[in-house]
C-alpha cells in the first residue's frame, strides 16, 4: 500500500521518504505506556478510584512497578516484533471467582516480559492449524489474546468437568467455552490471568474504548458498556494473531467489498445445537455427537463412543458450556454472506479502512449489548498459517518502528507569554529530568532555578521560568526503581529533546513549499487552496496541480486532466490546463519533481504582490487524486515578501484518503507555526458536510512530533488562541472539536495528517500560519 506520508514528503523540497503507512506497525497503541500498570484490588477500591502499582496475591506478585503495555515495536522483511509487559494501559481488575464477588480470584497479573513476532505476509493453507493454549496473538494494547477455551474439558469417566481444583484435565472432546465458564472471573475490561499472564478471550471493551470503537465508559462505576447510539464507523484493528491476520472490533461494512454499503455488527456463523437452524437438539439427544467442524478439528467420527459422551444438558452443564455445543451454519446448508458474515474460522475477506483493497480478517463477535458471542474472536483453528509466536530474541537485523513505555521519546515545547516561558514535555512516570538552555543549540547550560524535576505520573510535565532563551533542552536523567524484565535494555535514561526558539521565530527560516494530496471531483467536490503573501515588493511563486504525474509514484486513480487558476479577489491572475515547457527551469530551481513532456498536469509561474490568493483546481468531467503544490520560487536569501499563510479545504476520507499536507521549512534558525484542522468551525460558515471531529498529527519523516484532537483541551490552548488572533485566523469556539497545534520548527520536511476520529469523513480546512 502506497503511503500518503511518504508521498507527501517525497513531493517536498529535498524531502526524505517517510516510512510507508503500515497497519501492522501503526495500529499498535502506545498511549498510556508512559505510566505504571495499575490494578484495583477490590470493588471498594475500584469505586474509590484507588489503584496500586505493586501487588501480591498467592504465588503471583508485582513487587516493583512495571510500565504498562508495549515497550517497543520493530520489524524486518518477514516479521513484526512486539516487546510488551503484557499489562493493560487502563486500570485492571478487580477479579473474583463468583458473581457475588465474595471469593477472590487466586492470582494477579504481572509483567510477562514477552517478545512476540507476527508474520508480515500471511499464507492461507488448505490444512488448518488448531489454536493452542496460551497467547495466540496480541491485542494492540500489548495484552495477550487467548482462544475460546478455558483449557479444561469434560472427563467422562469421572463424570465431571476438569478443573484446577479436582486435578483432572479431561478427555479433550467436550472443551469448556471460556466466557461461559470463566466470564464471572473477568474484570470490567473482560480480562483475567492464567497465573501472571493477563489476557482477553473475547470482546475487549477497554481496548475498544481506547480506540474509539462504540464503547462507553462510566467514570463513576468504572464500567464499560456497548454504546446504544447508531454505529458511525468501521471498527478498528484490535489485535493481531500469530498467523499475521488482524482482528477487528465487531462492526464492519454490510457488504464485505463495498465501504458505501453501511455498517453493522458482524454475525457469527455459529449457533447453539438446540434443534433450530437444522442443528441437533442436544437437550433431547444428549451430548453423544460432535458437530461436523469439531469432528474435523479432533480428527474423529461425529458419532461418539459412550466412553467420551458429554454430560446431559441441564442446570449443571447448560447448553453453551462447551465449544462443541455449537454448530457451524456452513455445515448445515447455510451460506456465508447471506445467512451469516464470518466463516468457520471467524474471518471473511473484506475491505476495511486500513486495507481498501481487501484482506482476510477476524472480527470480535458480540451480542447487541456487548456480551461475547461464540466463537468470540477465532474458531477452533487459525485461518492462516500461525508461524508467529513468542521468541527469546530478535535473531536477525530489525528496524525499530517505535519505542514506548519507559523508553518513549521526549517531545518538548516552549511558550512565551507575559514574560514567562513555560517548558512542557512528554514525561514518564518515575522519571527525573533536567532542563538546559542554549543560544545556538550547541553549547548548553543548566537552567537556573530548575534543578531536577520528577514526573508526577502523567504524560506531561511542565516548568515555568522567567529566563528567556533561544533553545531549551529536556533530558531524562534517572528512572525510579521499576521492573526491567523484558525491556530489552531500553531504559529511556539519556533521552532528550530540544524546543528550538520556543519563544518565536529566528534566523532566515521560512516556509518554502506546501503540497496537499486530495481527492477531486465526484462526491469529493472541488478542493479550495489559498495562500497569503506579506511584506514589501513582489514574490515569484510556482503553483501546480499534478494528476497524471502521480502515476509514476504508484498512485492509482490519479486525476486525468487537472486545470488550475490563480485568483486574487474576483480577478483571475493566470490559468493553465497543461503545463508549459518554459516553466521546467522553475521546477528545477525550486526542487519540484519533473513532469513528463506533454502530460496533462497543470502549473503556473507568477510574480505576485502581497495579498491573498486562491488556486481553484478543475477536474473537467472526471474525478481522481491530485497533488496541489505551492512553491516559493524566490531566489533571494532574504526575500522582502513572505509566504505567511496557506490553506486547503478538501474532503477527508479514511485509509489512503485522509488529508495529508506536506511542507518544507528552509533557511537557518527556526520558524514558529500555527497549524489548524477546522471541521465544526466550518458549519458556522455555511458548510453542510464539515468533518465533525478532525484529528491533527504533525510528522517529521515517520516520527510524530505533535498531535491534537480537540484544540481547547490542549495543554497550550491559550497559546493556540493567542497565535490565531495574532495571525488573523478566524476564532475556534471554546470546547469545539476543531484541532490545532503551535510548533517551532527548524529546516526540514514535515507532513500533517488530518483524519476523522473514529473513521468519520467530511470536509475540513487545514491551515498553516507563520506566527510573527
Amino acid at each position: 500500500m502506497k503511503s500518503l506520508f511518504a508521498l507527501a514528503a517525497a513531493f517536498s523540497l529535498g524531502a526524505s521518504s517517510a516510512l510507508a503507512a503500515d497497519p501492522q506497525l501503526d495500529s499498535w497503541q502506545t498511549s498510556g505506556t508512559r505510566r505504571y500498570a495499575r490494578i484495583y484490588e477490590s470493588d471498594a477500591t475500584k469505586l474509590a478510584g484507588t489503584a496500586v502499582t505493586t501487588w501480591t496475591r498467592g504465588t503471583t506478585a508485582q513487587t516493583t512497578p512495571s510500565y504498562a503495555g508495549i515497550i517497543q515495536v520493530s520489524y524486518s522483511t518477514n516479521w513484526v516484533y512486539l516487546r510488551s509487559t503484557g499489562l493493560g494501559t487502563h486500570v485492571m481488575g478487580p477479579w473474583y471467582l463468583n458473581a457475588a464477588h465474595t471469593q477472590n480470584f487466586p492470582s494477579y497479573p504481572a509483567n510477562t516480559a514477552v517478545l512476540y513476532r507476527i508474520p508480515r505476509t500471511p499464507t492461507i493453507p488448505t490444512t488448518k492449524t488448531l489454536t493452542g493454549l496460551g497467547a495466540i496473538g496480541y491485542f494492540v494494547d500489548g495484552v495477550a489474546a487467548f482462544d475460546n477455551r478455558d483449557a479444561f474439558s469434560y472427563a467422562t469417566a469421572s463424570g465431571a468437568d476438569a478443573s484446577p481444583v479436582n486435578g483432572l484435565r479431561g478427555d479433550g472432546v467436550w472443551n469448556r467455552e471460556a466466557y461461559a465458564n470463566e466470564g464471572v472471573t473477568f474484570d470490567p475490561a473482560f480480562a483475567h490471568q492464567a497465573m501472571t499472564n493477563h489476557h482477553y478471550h473475547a470482546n475487549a471493551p477497554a481496548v475498544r474504548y481506547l480506540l474509539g470503537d462504540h464503547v462507553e465508559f462510566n467514570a463513576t462505576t468504572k464500567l464499560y458498556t456497548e454504546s446504544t447510539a447508531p454505529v458511525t464507523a468501521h471498527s478498528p484493528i484490535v489485535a493481531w494473531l500469530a498467523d499475521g491476520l488482524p482482528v477487528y472490533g465487531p462492526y464492519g461494512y454490510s457488504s464485505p467489498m463495498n465501504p458505501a454499503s453501511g455498517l453493522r455488527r458482524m454475525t457469527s456463523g455459529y449457533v447453539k445445537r438446540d434443534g433450530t437452524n437444522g442443528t441437533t437438539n442436544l437437550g433431547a439427544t444428549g451430548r453423544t455427537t460432535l458437530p461436523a467442524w469439531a469432528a474435523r478439528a479432533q480428527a474423529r467420527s461425529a458419532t461418539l463412543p459412550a466412553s467420551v459422551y458429554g454430560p446431559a444438558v441441564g442446570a449443571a452443564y447448560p447448553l453453551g458450556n462447551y465449544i462443541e455445543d455449537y454448530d457451524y451454519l456452513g455445515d448445515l446448508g447455510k451460506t456465508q454472506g447471506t445467512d451469516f458474515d464470518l466463516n468457520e474460522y471467524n474471518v471473511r475477506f473484506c475491505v476495511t479502512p486500513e486495507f481498501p483493497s481487501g484482506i482476510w480478517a477476524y472480527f470480535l463477535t458480540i451480542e447487541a449489548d456487548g456480551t461475547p458471542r461464540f466463537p468470540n474472536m477465532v474458531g477452533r483453528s487459525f485461518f492462516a498459517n500461525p508461524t508467529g509466536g513468542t521468541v527469546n530474541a530478535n535473531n536477525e537485523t530489525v528496524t525499530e518502528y517505535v519505542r514506548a513505555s519507559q523508553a518513549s521519546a521526549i517531545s518538548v515545547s516552549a511558550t512565551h507569554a507575559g514574560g514567562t516561558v513555560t517548558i512542557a514535555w512528554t514525561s514518564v512516570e518515575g522519571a527525573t529530568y533536567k532542563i538546559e538552555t542554549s543560544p545556538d543549540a550547541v553549547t548548553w547550560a543548566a537552567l537556573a532555578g530548575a534543578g531536577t524535576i520528577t514526573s508526577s505520573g502523567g504524560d506531561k510535565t511542565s516548568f515555568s521560568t522567567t529566563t528567556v532563551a533561544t533553545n531549551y533542552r529536556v533530558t531524562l536523567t534517572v528512572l525510579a526503581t521499576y521492573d526491567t524484565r523484558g525491556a530489552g535494555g531500553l531504559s529511556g535514561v539519556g533521552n532528550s529533546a530540544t524546543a528550538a526558539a520556543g519563544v518565536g521565530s529566528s534566523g532566515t527560516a521560512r516556509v518554502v513549499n506546501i503540497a496537499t494530496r486530495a481527492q477531486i471531483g465526484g462526491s469529493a467536490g472541488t478542493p479550495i487552496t489559498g495562500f497569503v503573501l506579506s511584506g514589501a515588493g513582489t514574490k515569484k511563486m510556482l503553483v501546480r496541480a499534478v494528476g497524471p504525474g502521480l502515476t509514476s509514484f504508484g498512485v492509482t486513480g490519479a486525476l486525468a486532466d487537472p486545470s488550475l487558476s490563480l485568483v486574487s479577489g474576483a480577478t483571475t491572475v493566470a490559468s493553465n490546463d497543461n503545463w508549459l515547457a518554459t516553466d521546467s527551469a522553475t521546477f528545477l530551481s525550486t526542487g519540484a519533481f519533473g513532469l513528463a513532456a506533454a502530460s496533462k498536469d497543470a502549473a503556473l509561474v507568477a510574480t505576485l504582490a502581497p495579498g491573498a490568493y486562491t488556486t481553484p483546481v478543475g477536474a473537467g468531467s472526471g474525478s481522481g487524486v491530485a497533488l496541489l503544490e505551492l512553491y516559493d520560487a524566490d531566489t533571494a536569501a532574504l526575500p522582502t515578501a513572505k509566504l505567511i499563510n496557506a490553506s486547503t479545504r478538501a474532503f477527508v476520507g479514511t485509509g489512503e484518503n485522509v488529508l495529508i499536507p506536506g511542507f518544507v521549512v528552509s533557511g537557518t534558525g527556526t520558524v514558529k507555526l500555527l497549524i489548524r484542522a477546522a471541521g465544526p468551525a466550518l458549519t458556522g460558515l455555511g458548510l453542510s458536510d464539515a468533518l465533525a471531529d478532525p484529528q491533527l498529527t504533525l510528522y517529521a519523516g515517520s516520527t510524530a512530533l505533535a498531535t491534537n484532537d480537540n484544540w481547547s483541551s490542549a495543554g497550550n490552548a491559550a497559546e493556540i488562541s493567542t497565535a490565531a488572533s495574532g495571525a488573523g485566523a478566524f476564532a475556534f469556539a471554546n470546547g469545539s472539536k476543531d484541532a490545532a497545534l503551535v510548533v517551532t520548527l527548524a529546516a526540514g520536511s514535515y507532513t500533517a495528517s488530518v483524519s476523522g476520529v473514529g473513521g468519520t469523513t467530511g470536509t475540513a480546512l487545514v491551515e498553516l500560519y507563520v506566527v510573527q
Side-chain angles (χ1 to χ4, degrees):
M1 182 171 62
K2 186 67 178 177
S3 162
L4 301 188
F5 295 95
L7 193 59
F11 293 155
S12 299
L13 275 174
S16 58
S17 294
L19 184 65
D22 186 342
Q24 288 183 320
L25 301 177
D26 56 32
S27 59
W28 299 101
Q29 297 298 302
T30 57
S31 174
T33 63
R34 293 185 180 93
R35 295 187 292 273
Y36 296 146
R38 285 170 163 79
I39 70 168
Y40 293 128
E41 295 182 292
S42 67
D43 284 338
T45 59
K46 181 188 72 172
L47 291 176
T50 307
V52 296
T53 59
T54 60
W55 52 80
T56 299
R57 175 173 286 174
T59 60
T60 63
Q62 187 67 54
T63 55
T64 55
S66 171
Y67 290 97
I70 292 166
I71 300 170
Q72 182 187 47
V73 177
S74 301
Y75 64 96
S76 66
T77 300
N78 298 318
W79 303 99
V80 173
Y81 291 90
L82 173 71
R83 192 180 297 278
S84 176
T85 65
L87 300 171
T89 55
H90 59 279
V91 181
M92 301 168 286
W95 302 272
Y96 293 93
L97 283 174
N98 63 335
H101 287 195
T102 57
Q103 301 174 39
N104 286 329
F105 193 73
S107 65
Y108 277 150
N111 179 359
T112 52
V114 70
L115 179 61
Y116 198 90
R117 69 178 187 178
I118 295 168
R120 295 278 274 164
T121 306
T123 57
I124 313 298
T126 301
T127 302
K128 306 301 184 183
T129 301
L130 297 178
T131 57
L133 298 177
I136 62 169
Y138 270 80
F139 277 74
V140 296
D141 65 343
V143 174
F146 277 31
D147 72 5
N148 52 34
R149 301 169 300 149
D150 77 348
F152 296 100
S153 60
Y154 187 69
T156 304
S158 301
D161 277 348
S163 74
V165 177
N166 61 27
L168 300 173
R169 293 300 297 183
D171 303 325
V173 177
W174 297 94
N175 296 277
R176 302 205 316 173
E177 199 275 335
Y179 180 70
N181 287 276
E182 296 184 330
V184 69
T185 72
F186 292 175
D187 71 355
F190 282 21
H192 67 175
Q193 41 279 338
M195 296 302 290
T196 60
N197 196 349
H198 194 59
H199 58 271
Y200 306 104
H201 287 276
N203 182 25
V207 181
R208 293 177 51 218
Y209 178 76
L210 168 70
L211 299 171
D213 184 32
H214 209 63
V215 172
E216 297 175 355
F217 177 69
N218 186 312
T220 300
T221 63
K222 311 296 191 300
L223 297 178
Y224 301 90
T225 56
E226 199 70 17
S227 175
T228 57
V231 178
T232 59
H234 191 289
S235 285
I237 295 171
V238 298
W240 292 89
L241 298 192
D243 60 0
L245 296 186
V247 181
Y248 280 85
Y251 303 102
Y253 300 128
S254 294
S255 177
M257 301 306 291
N258 182 7
S261 62
L263 296 158
R264 59 182 173 81
R265 179 166 44 92
M266 294 292 95
T267 56
S268 164
Y270 287 83
V271 292
K272 286 182 178 178
R273 300 171 71 192
D274 59 3
T276 63
N277 296 293
T279 65
T280 300
N281 186 349
L282 295 187
T285 66
R287 291 184 170 102
T288 61
T289 60
L290 291 176
W293 68 265
R296 291 191 294 270
Q298 296 184 28
R300 68 170 73 234
S301 171
T303 302
L304 296 173
S307 61
V308 288
Y309 280 178
V313 175
Y317 301 96
L319 193 64
N321 192 68
Y322 306 102
I323 66 174
E324 291 79 14
D325 286 351
Y326 291 86
D327 220 328
Y328 171 56
L329 290 172
D331 290 329
L332 303 176
K334 304 295 184 180
T335 304
Q336 184 186 4
T338 301
D339 302 305
F340 57 94
D341 292 312
L342 305 171
N343 69 11
E344 177 179 345
Y345 312 96
N346 219 42
V347 305
R348 71 171 183 170
F349 190 83
C350 57
V351 297
T352 70
E354 294 79 12
F355 296 96
S357 297
I359 190 173
W360 288 105
Y362 299 96
F363 284 79
L364 297 180
T365 46
I366 64 171
E367 304 290 357
D369 64 356
T371 302
R373 177 172 178 146
F374 189 81
N376 307 331
M377 176 169 49
V378 60
R380 185 61 186 87
S381 300
F382 292 99
F383 183 69
N385 193 12
T387 55
T390 301
V391 293
N392 293 324
N394 299 340
N395 293 320
E396 62 172 331
T397 301
V398 298
T399 301
E400 181 180 78
Y401 177 73
V402 67
R403 292 185 183 188
S405 194
Q406 71 279 354
S408 297
I410 300 171
S411 63
V412 61
S413 65
T415 58
H416 186 212
T420 298
V421 177
T422 300
I423 304 133
W425 64 95
T426 52
S427 56
V428 175
E429 186 169 5
T432 298
Y433 298 87
K434 67 177 180 180
I435 305 176
E436 300 167 288
T437 63
S438 172
D440 54 11
V442 176
T443 303
W444 296 91
L447 175 61
T452 56
I453 301 165
T454 300
S455 168
S456 61
D459 284 336
K460 278 278 190 180
T461 299
S462 62
F463 181 81
S464 296
T465 178
T466 56
T467 301
V468 178
T470 305
N471 303 283
Y472 298 87
R473 182 168 70 183
V474 176
T475 303
L476 195 164
T477 58
V478 178
L479 278 169
T481 301
Y482 70 99
D483 186 347
T484 61
R485 290 177 296 175
L490 303 176
S491 72
V493 174
N495 280 351
S496 65
T498 300
V503 296
S505 302
S506 68
T508 64
R510 70 186 196 275
V511 177
V512 296
N513 165 229
I514 300 171
T516 305
R517 180 189 187 275
Q519 189 76 25
I520 297 176
S523 60
T526 302
I528 299 176
T529 61
F531 63 94
V532 175
L533 302 179
S534 179
T538 58
K539 177 171 284 294
K540 184 179 180 182
M541 300 293 296
L542 166 63
V543 185
R544 307 200 307 179
V546 181
L550 299 182
T551 56
S552 62
F553 292 91
V555 176
T556 57
L559 184 62
D561 188 6
S563 61
L564 179 65
S565 298
L566 181 62
V567 179
S568 174
T571 302
T572 299
V573 178
S575 61
N576 176 261
D577 186 1
N578 303 327
W579 71 281
L580 303 175
T582 52
D583 291 334
S584 59
T586 303
F587 296 176
L588 182 63
S589 65
T590 56
F593 64 90
L595 300 174
S599 78
K600 292 184 179 295
D601 302 290
L604 290 169
V605 177
T607 300
L608 304 174
Y613 299 86
T614 58
T615 58
V617 177
S621 58
S623 64
V625 176
L627 184 73
L628 315 178
E629 299 180 293
L630 180 68
Y631 291 87
D632 180 342
D634 255 351
T635 57
L638 292 171
T640 54
K642 295 182 179 181
L643 177 65
I644 62 168
N645 166 234
S647 62
T648 300
R649 195 188 81 181
F651 182 77
V652 178
T654 59
E656 291 214 343
N657 293 318
V658 299
L659 186 61
I660 303 183
F663 62 94
V664 173
V665 175
S666 180
T668 62
T670 58
V671 62
K672 189 173 184 179
L673 300 175
L674 167 67
I675 306 172
R676 308 201 306 176
L682 300 183
T683 59
L685 303 178
L687 189 69
S688 60
D689 67 337
L691 184 63
D693 190 359
Q695 179 170 285
L696 173 65
T697 304
L698 179 67
Y699 292 85
S702 61
T703 301
L705 300 180
T707 188
N708 177 256
D709 182 3
N710 304 325
W711 78 274
S712 59
S713 63
N716 64 334
E719 182 189 19
I720 291 172
S721 180
T722 300
S725 176
F730 63 91
F732 285 166
N734 190 41
S736 80
K737 292 184 178 295
D738 305 287
L741 297 168
V742 172
V743 292
T744 301
L745 303 174
S749 301
Y750 303 90
T751 54
S753 168
V754 179
S755 59
V757 172
T760 52
T761 61
T763 297
L765 177 70
V766 58
E767 304 173 291
L768 184 151
Y769 294 88
V770 177
V771 179
Q772 304 297 321

